Structure formats: structure tokens, C-alpha cells
Amino acid sequence: MKYRADIDGLRAIAVILVILFHSKINFFPGGYIGVDIFFAISGFLITSIIYPKMLAGNFSFVDFYKRRARRLLPASIFMTLITLLVFAFIYPPNLFQMLANSAAASLLFVSNLYFWQTSSYFSPNLELQPLLHTWSLSVEEQFYFLFPLALFILTLLKFKKNAVLLTVGFACSISLVLAYIYAPNSLSFVSFYVLPTRFYEMGLGALFAVHLTHKPDAFSKIKYLREIGFICVAIAAVQYDRYLAFPSFYAVLPVLGTLLMLIDRSTTGFLYRALSAKPVVFIGLLSYSLYLWHWPIWVSFEWLIDNTSALNMAAYFTVTFLIAYLSYRVIEQPLRLASFYQSAYTKPSLLGFAALLVASVSFFTLQSNNRFLQMNATGLSAYNNSLVSEPYRDRCTDTKRLKGQFSICTVKEGVDAQYSILLWGDSHASALMSALDNFSDRFTIHAMNTSGCPSLVETRRKGAEDCYFHNQFMQSHLLSQTDRYDLILDVSAWDNYIEYGLLETDVSQVEEMHAALQRTIAFFEVNHLKYAFVPQIPKQKTNIPRAFFRHHLGLNDQEEYVLRSDYDIKLKRFEEMLYPSKNMIALDSFFCDDEKCGGSQNGEIMYKDAHHISVTAGQTISYYLEGEIVNAIEGTGKTLEASAE
């Protein structure tokens, strides 16, 4: 296939979109479609190269895979090794173990499957995984392995052009349907990561390539295809955002836009000249190395610096382009040439490098990186303790999503229990189970929590229809068990729903939350149910275990906290929303002093992220919370005031 500079220009657009999106510059909130542009280009170009050879009977799988390996593997493998070595000295064991596992998965071209299996609401922050971006490379490698084989079989069976188009088109249709059915949600990201739901993006490129192989001038008389395609890509880049259930059918727009630009072979017009301009083409030539290096460099910047000032961002872009250029000139370009491998020194060098790589990945996968960390045992223990999952989380959270039906679970079955309570809420309620688990045997405790669902009567959350049914189930359960529970403990991330605009409403988020709380209070009181709400604890500005770890490595000398005065405003707002009810058990005295609400206390971490309490914090507040609940049930003391003294 004849070289086209405008295709390298298109690659430049794709990689720039991805880098800007990943660096959290909001010029293009849908910048992640850069990956889909790459997918469309890959499907189109690979088919344009191999299909004519198959028709001519001179296609060689060995030659094809050799070329792919020389083109993709050297730079990818080198990036993986360097990333492992660098992060071994700066990453906590839990995150580094994921990195080592993902390195092994990447080398086996299955990192997309690895990240699918490890991605969920409760998984460690995937945005801190330096090899997360290799999922798309694995998808492409899987496509390179399977699609040429399928296409070869079709040509071997003497399928004519239309039959090939129908077969590939049917496969694309199935892929699109699967992508829609399994659109990513808060529990599963299967559609985002796997080849069956991404195939249509590359398959559509293959369809155009097959057609153009038989009719090279098929679209030559249609004007402005490149411009129309560019508009499609631009709309997706500007209008899409990270909250879209992608790819589903949404990827069709940028993919078709890319393909319209690819099939337009005209060499005139402003857009063609722009895409073919030397600076743009230069970025396109670097696009693979830029894609490989931009993400681990970004993650390292976020981890080490945690400051997106203009100076730091300029440093990030400079370092990224410099390393990508060196990778392109020193590794990518020389090692893609067949002549490089004919040197007498090449094979021993490559074997030695391969041995080093296998040894490094094996060592880090089995041993982690504890020996490389300059952190004392006490600090590391506190960090690890903050990440421990609360008891019964898997059994008492997301039962509908995990098991297909809502159900009430038992947190504690007290011997000769005096009191029975029901915990109703979201993931904040689940986090509180670390406190409830330590209650005395005078309690029987049941729970039902669904992540991201506010525990409120007749309330819907945007993008999560099951939240409404979660609350409907709880209402029905309580109506059938009005005499069973001595107290309903209602716990949710109230402030988060307001601040992120997550409630479905025609009024403001604050007004909707106020109305929903009043509806819920009315439901409790009409049905003679005793209840208590727990306000959201102070939300920190950053992930507290991460900040604690960085502090102990000497990377951060600032204490993480929010001002007490700022939290009091939110606490007062919540109290006013409940009025005239005062049925509220606040936990602010455990997280705040007179001036600030800190993320750590006396060397112990009180959060497992920025807003969920840690198991350590749960154990700390357990005795107090038990007493407050007894007082709420018995109706004694000042339990239900705004805060503990």
C-alpha cells in the first residue's frame, strides 16, 4: 500500500486526544476516542495490506507476524521493563503487585482480560496502574492473530467479495450488539476491554478495505468525505465524556468518521494539507512511542508530584515527547528493520534482554517490591491496614448485581440479642460494617447496601436504574417486617450525590435531596419505624492511604485535611434537611478537632480512599456508635444531636 502522510496526521490527532484526556486537560472530554481512531486505522490498514496478498495467493503468516512483532514488541517490551524497575522503588506493595501482574499479562497479550477481571467499584484505583493503557495493545494483538486467520479461511474457501463483506459485516453486527448489551456499568467493564465488543471498530475498517481492494475508485467521486469524517471525530471528542457507557454504540461515530477520512484519497484541500504538514506527520510517526510512554510517565508524575501546575504540565509534556522520540529513534525504528537482526551480536543480545525481562517479571510477580521500599515497618503496616476490606462486603453489598436478586444479609447474630437493627445504604454503609461487626452480642444486625445508590424513598440516581428498585425492595421488606427491627440505620454519601449532580430531578440537587430525605422520614414515621441517619464523614481532597504512603517515602510533607469550618457547613445543611427530625448520629468528633478534619490520627489511617472510612476507623468508632444506637432505641440522652461531645 502506498504511503499516505495524511494517515500519519490522523494518528497524530488520535494520540494527542488520548494524551490530553489522560492528563486531565478538558479541551476534549471525549479524548479517549483516540484509541478508537487507532482501532479503525488498524483494521483498515492491516486488511488493505494482507487481503490483496491473500487473493494473489502469496500471503505468508510467518512474514506477517514477523513484521508485526518487529513493529510492536521491542518498544513495548522495553517500556514494560523500565516501568517495572522505576515503580519498584516508589509504589506500595498492593499497587505494585497489580503492576507486576499486568506486566505479565501484557507480555502475553492478555492485559485487556486482566484489567477487565480486576476492574470494579471496589478495585484499587486503576488510574494508578502504569500499564493500564496496554489493554488496547492487547486487543489489537488479538485482532492481528485472529482476523487474518479468519480472512485467510474465507479466501481459501473461495468466498467472493460480497460473501466476504457479508461475513465480516455480520461479525461487526454481532460485536455491536454485544457492545450495547454489555455496556460498562459500575460493576463490570467487560464491554470496554474485550475483543468481541471492540471488534466492530476494527471490522468496519476491514469492510471498507475489502471493498476498496476490489473497487479502488469506489469513493473517488464523492466530495468532502475527509471533512465530514473530521466533523464526526470532532463531535465525539467534544461531546462525549468519561461518564458515557463506552463503547456501546457510541464508538460508531468516531470510527465511521475515521474511516471517511481514510477512504478519501484526494490530495487537495485545507484539511489534507493540515494532516500532511511535517510537524503533524512527525507527531504521527511518534504516535506509537508516545502512546506507549505517555501513561506510565503521567502516572509517575501524579504519584511523585501530585500537582498539575502549568510548570509541572509543561515538564510532563516535555519529558513525554523526549522519551518517545528517543524510543522511536533508538528502539522502534532500528528494531523494525529485518537487517537489524542479521548482525552476529543481535541474537545473543536479544536473548540476554529476554532473559532479563522474564527474570524481572517473575521476580516482581512472586516477591513484589518490599525489598526496594525505603519505608519503615510501622508505616507500611498502617498503610496495609487501611486497605483491608470491611467484613461481609461481598455478602452484603450489590447482591442484585452479583447474585441476580436483592437480599438481606446478616452481619451479626447476637446470642440472646436485645436489639435488632437494619443497615440500609450505599458503599458508605458497607464501610460502616467494620464498626458494626465489633458490636457486642446484644445485637442482631442485618444489612442491604448497593454501591452508588442513595438510600431514599422514591428517589432515582442518574445512570443507575437499579437504585430505584433497591429502595423499592427495602421499603417492601420494612413494610412486611415493621415489628422486627428496633432501629433502621440509614447511611449514604449524601454530599457526594449533591456535589456530583447524581440525583434525577427537575429542581436543584440540594432541593431534591431535601425532598427525598423528607419522603424517607415520612415513610419511617407513618409506619412507626425507629430510624437514625448518619451524615457523610468529611470528604478529603485526595486518597488518604496514598498520601500517607507518599509522606512516609518523603514525597509529601503536607498533612492531608479539610477545614472543620467547611465540614460544619455541610453538616449543618444535612441537619436542616432533616428538620424537624433530629434523628441523626454524627461521627465528626472522631474525624475532626476544632480546626481541621484530618485523614490520619496518631499514625493510623482513618480512610480507605478519600471518603470511605477504613476498617481501623470503624474499630475506633465502634464502641461510641453502639452506645449511640442503644440511646436512639431507648430514646435516652442527647444521642441524636448534631455531633458527639
Side-chain angles (χ1 to χ4, degrees):
M1 181 178 178
K2 184 180 178 181
Y3 172 74
R4 288 174 51 185
D6 61 307
I7 294 181
D8 275 325
L10 189 52
R11 288 192 177 104
I13 291 176
V15 78
I16 289 172
L17 285 174
V18 170
I19 292 175
L20 291 177
F21 176 77
H22 283 161
S23 57
K24 301 178 182 178
I25 295 176
N26 294 321
F27 294 154
F28 303 103
Y32 52 81
I33 66 161
V35 171
D36 307 281
I37 294 173
F38 281 127
F39 283 163
I41 293 173
S42 293
F44 180 82
L45 290 184
I46 289 301
T47 308
S48 297
I49 292 169
I50 67 175
Y51 184 58
K53 291 182 178 181
M54 290 178 179
L55 292 177
N58 58 6
F59 174 73
S60 167
F61 279 102
V62 173
D63 181 63
F64 172 73
Y65 290 124
K66 276 185 178 181
R67 289 176 177 272
R68 289 292 89 198
R70 292 198 302 263
R71 171 72 176 88
L72 301 174
L73 295 186
S76 176
I77 289 172
F78 186 74
M79 179 275 297
T80 300
L81 179 59
I82 296 301
T83 300
L84 273 173
L85 294 176
V86 170
F87 280 86
F89 293 92
I90 64 173
Y91 246 15
N94 67 309
L95 290 177
F96 186 81
Q97 190 60 58
M98 283 190 69
L99 170 58
N101 293 341
S102 66
S106 176
L107 294 174
L108 295 172
F109 313 125
V110 292
S111 66
N112 60 324
L113 303 181
Y114 173 78
F115 287 117
W116 159 42
Q117 290 295 325
T118 56
S119 61
S120 72
Y121 183 88
F122 291 104
S123 65
N125 193 344
L126 286 181
E127 290 188 357
L128 289 175
Q129 277 305 305
L131 296 180
L132 177 61
H133 64 317
T134 63
W135 74 267
S136 65
L137 304 180
S138 291
V139 170
E140 285 202 43
E141 291 291 351
Q142 292 160 17
F143 175 81
Y144 293 153
F145 179 76
L146 296 173
F147 184 71
L149 181 61
L151 196 59
F152 181 77
I153 292 173
L154 293 180
T155 56
L156 197 65
L157 294 174
K158 305 298 183 182
F159 273 45
K160 300 297 183 183
K161 170 200 166 187
N162 289 340
V164 173
L165 290 175
L166 284 173
T167 304
V168 177
F170 179 73
C172 289
S173 301
I174 296 298
S175 173
L176 182 57
V177 170
L178 291 175
Y180 175 75
I181 293 174
Y182 294 102
N185 55 51
S186 60
L187 192 68
S188 174
F189 293 84
V190 57
S191 178
F192 187 86
Y193 286 115
V194 300
L195 178 61
T197 54
R198 290 284 187 170
F199 172 79
Y200 80 85
E201 300 184 41
M202 291 164 278
L204 288 174
L207 279 175
F208 278 94
V210 168
H211 183 60
L212 286 171
T213 298
H214 291 278
K215 293 186 176 181
D217 299 322
F219 304 102
S220 60
K221 294 182 179 180
I222 305 177
K223 295 183 178 180
Y224 306 118
L225 288 178
R226 184 177 287 117
E227 286 75 13
I228 294 171
F230 181 80
I231 291 172
C232 292
V233 170
I235 289 173
V238 173
Q239 293 298 319
Y240 291 0
D241 59 38
R242 65 174 65 245
Y243 303 107
L244 202 64
F246 202 83
S248 188
F249 56 83
Y250 298 108
V252 171
L253 181 62
V255 166
L256 283 181
T258 300
L259 294 174
L260 289 177
M261 297 175 75
L262 289 172
I263 64 177
D264 190 336
R265 300 181 181 181
S266 63
T267 56
T268 59
F270 171 78
L271 186 56
Y272 174 80
R273 291 194 298 273
L275 291 173
S276 303
K278 288 185 178 180
V280 179
V281 171
F282 177 69
I283 295 174
L285 291 172
L286 294 183
S287 61
Y288 180 58
S289 284
L290 279 169
Y291 185 79
L292 282 178
W293 288 99
H294 86 281
W295 182 247
I297 294 172
W298 172 256
V299 173
S300 67
F301 262 67
E302 278 216 309
W303 185 260
L304 295 172
I305 300 174
D306 196 24
N307 185 328
T308 55
S309 67
L311 182 61
N312 287 334
M313 293 303 293
Y316 163 68
F317 289 123
T318 300
V319 170
T320 297
F321 273 84
L322 178 61
I323 292 180
Y325 177 74
L326 292 174
S327 173
Y328 174 75
R329 290 300 301 268
V330 178
I331 300 172
E332 186 182 339
Q333 280 295 93
L335 272 67
R336 72 186 298 179
L337 301 175
S339 58
F340 175 85
Y341 300 88
Q342 296 172 2
S343 168
Y345 301 101
T346 299
K347 289 185 178 179
S349 299
L350 291 177
L351 288 174
F353 184 78
L356 175 63
L357 178 68
V358 172
S360 299
V361 173
S362 300
F363 173 81
F364 286 129
T365 302
L366 297 173
Q367 300 293 325
S368 192
N369 64 325
N370 292 291
R371 300 180 187 179
F372 294 82
L373 292 175
Q374 301 299 310
M375 185 173 183
N376 62 53
T378 302
L380 189 57
S381 176
Y383 172 82
N384 289 331
N385 289 340
S386 71
L387 302 178
V388 173
S389 297
E390 62 271 9
Y392 310 110
R393 188 200 70 192
D394 292 337
R395 193 169 73 192
C396 299
T397 306
D398 296 327
T399 58
K400 173 69 172 179
R401 297 169 181 172
L402 291 170
K403 302 173 185 177
Q405 62 182 8
F406 294 115
S407 62
I408 306 295
C409 78
T410 300
V411 176
K412 192 174 191 67
E413 194 72 62
V415 179
D416 297 324
Q418 299 173 254
Y419 308 109
S420 178
I421 66 174
L422 174 64
L423 176 68
W424 175 22
D426 59 12
S427 61
H428 280 226
S430 293
L432 200 62
M433 289 192 296
S434 60
L436 303 181
D437 184 53
N438 284 288
F439 277 20
S440 64
D441 283 338
R442 57 179 176 167
F443 280 92
T444 290
I445 303 170
H446 293 169
M448 193 186 85
N449 312 310
T450 300
S451 307
C453 292
S455 43
L456 296 165
V457 169
E458 298 298 322
T459 301
R460 296 180 184 272
R461 185 217 152 136
K462 294 178 182 177
E465 186 65 20
D466 59 344
C467 288
Y468 178 79
F469 297 110
H470 159 87
N471 293 328
Q472 287 283 86
F473 175 88
M474 182 57 81
Q475 290 172 243
S476 298
H477 176 73
L478 289 173
L479 289 174
S480 66
Q481 306 283 335
T482 53
D483 298 324
R484 182 171 185 177
Y485 299 109
D486 297 299
L487 186 74
I488 313 302
L489 196 62
D490 198 329
V491 184
S492 284
W494 316 109
D495 298 332
N496 287 5
Y497 295 112
I498 294 173
E499 291 165 17
Y500 295 143
L502 297 177
L503 303 177
E504 286 193 2
T505 179
D506 294 326
V507 296
S508 72
Q509 293 291 309
V510 172
E511 290 174 309
E512 177 58 27
M513 178 62 75
H514 185 190
L517 285 166
Q518 289 298 317
R519 288 195 300 268
T520 307
I521 291 170
F523 170 79
F524 288 142
E525 294 185 348
V526 165
N527 293 289
H528 308 291
L529 295 164
K530 281 194 174 183
Y531 64 93
F533 291 92
V534 177
Q536 183 172 342
I537 64 171
K539 181 180 177 181
Q540 300 294 328
K541 299 174 184 177
T542 189
N543 182 295
I544 295 302
R546 169 189 167 188
F548 179 91
F549 184 87
R550 294 176 71 251
H551 174 73
H552 278 259
L553 286 185
L555 301 173
N556 177 19
D557 58 0
Q558 297 180 343
E559 180 186 0
E560 297 296 337
Y561 65 88
V562 294
L563 292 174
R564 173 68 194 241
S565 57
D566 290 341
Y567 177 63
D568 281 344
I569 293 172
K570 295 181 179 180
L571 194 60
K572 184 67 174 177
R573 179 180 67 183
F574 186 74
E575 186 179 10
E576 291 173 348
M577 288 180 183
L578 297 183
Y579 184 82
S581 171
K582 292 187 178 181
N583 294 20
M584 183 175 91
I585 302 175
L587 303 172
D588 52 306
S589 62
F590 286 92
F591 295 90
C592 306
D593 57 26
D594 292 339
E595 296 182 357
K596 59 183 182 293
C597 306
S600 304
Q601 295 181 13
N602 303 318
E604 296 292 345
I605 303 174
M606 301 295 283
Y607 293 75
K608 66 178 182 180
D609 47 33
H611 53 97
H612 293 89
I613 69 169
S614 65
V615 170
T616 300
Q619 294 168 347
T620 301
I621 68 176
S622 179
Y623 182 77
Y624 165 80
L625 185 60
E626 179 174 340
E628 293 296 278
I629 286 176
V630 170
N631 289 341
I633 294 171
E634 299 294 343
T636 60
K638 297 183 179 180
T639 303
L640 305 179
E641 296 298 328
S643 64
E645 298 298 331

